[in-house]
Amino acid sequence: LPPPRAAEFSPSLDSDFTFTLPAGRKECFYQPMRRDASLELEYQVLDGAGLDVDFHLLSPKGETLVFDERKSDGVHTVETEDGDYMFCFDNTFSTISEKVIFFELILDNMGEDGQDQEDWKKYVTGTDLLDMKLEDILESINSVKARLSKSVQIQTLLRAFEARDRNIQESNFDRVNFWSMVNLGVMVVVSAVQVYMLKSLFEDKRKSRT
């Protein structure tokens, strides 16, 4: 088999990706992480026979943290250390069916928010006389930001579920149409044979009388 390809994501807090994994192939990705951060990874198989794939998540030291064998979806969260985490989707067990896979990365405590809060604190001095301090504004903004991020995450997952369900329905629709045509063809053939047999029986009787 050819060696697995690799890709690296930018250190954004939320990334999602959809790709096609050919039959007999393995695809690996790398994500750099910091110590005391959190890595959450969610994946779904949207299309392909069986809707299953093998999933591996390895630490920077090469230790296997997660191994899912022939699963259609999964959600995993790990506390991280400094280094590159590798996760792979393995379709080598399939010889003819490619898979369409969606996954989302959610990174927490990457240090960016903490720096933003330190910048905000520079402007807090002298606001004690205000009814609403800048700390309260910052807390409200962070709360809204967290809820918006969660809403975007949920909407992304719902779109992935909708895509997988649509693929299943379209596959079932094609199967129903195919077997309906087969049944129709069988009925036509049986009807033609019955008409021919009945006709041949009446023809034999007329010949015997003459």
Side-chain angles (χ1 to χ4, degrees), residues 178-197:
F178 172 76
W179 288 111
S180 297
M181 295 300 297
V182 171
N183 290 333
L184 180 61
V186 171
M187 292 175 61
V188 171
V189 172
V190 171
S191 300
V193 171
Q194 290 178 345
V195 171
Y196 174 78
M197 294 297 296

Side-chain angles (χ1 to χ4, degrees), residues 23-136:
R25 292 292 298 273
K26 180 179 180 181
E27 198 83 29
C28 292
F29 303 88
Y30 292 88
Q31 176 59 49
M33 296 297 299
R34 299 179 180 179
R35 181 179 297 275
D36 298 328
S38 175
L39 168 64
E40 180 179 349
L41 192 148
E42 305 181 15
Y43 70 90
Q44 295 180 36
V45 182
L46 302 181
D47 196 12
L51 292 177
D52 55 357
V53 71
D54 290 345
F55 173 77
H56 306 260
L57 176 61
L58 283 75
S59 70
K61 298 178 181 178
E63 301 173 348
T64 300
L65 302 178
V66 177
F67 173 61
D68 291 341
E69 185 176 5
R70 305 194 69 168
K71 295 289 187 66
S72 61
D73 55 72
V75 180
H76 302 288
T77 303
V78 295
E79 300 299 324
T80 62
E81 58 186 17
D82 292 331
D84 294 337
Y85 283 75
M86 182 177 71
F87 54 98
C88 301
F89 298 94
D90 191 348
N91 194 33
T92 54
F93 59 85
S94 178
T95 57
I96 59 175
S97 177
E98 64 180 18
K99 307 294 173 63
V100 179
I101 300 174
F102 162 83
F103 68 89
E104 182 179 18
L105 289 176
I106 302 172
L107 313 180
D108 292 327
N109 301 326
M110 292 296 288
E112 297 178 0
D113 291 342
Q115 183 63 38
D116 293 340
Q117 293 179 3
E118 291 297 329
D119 294 339
W120 271 92
K121 290 180 180 179
K122 298 178 182 178
Y123 304 97
V124 174
T125 305
T127 61
D128 295 339
L129 300 178
L130 298 177
D131 293 333
M132 179 178 289
K133 298 181 180 179
L134 289 180
E135 295 95 329
D136 299 327

Side-chain angles (χ1 to χ4, degrees), residues 1 30 36 81 110 149 154 157 177-178 198 205 207:
L1 294 176
Y30 292 88
D36 298 328
E81 58 186 17
M110 292 296 288
S149 299
I154 293 175
L157 291 178
N177 285 339
F178 172 76
L198 290 174
K205 287 182 179 181
K207 290 179 181 180

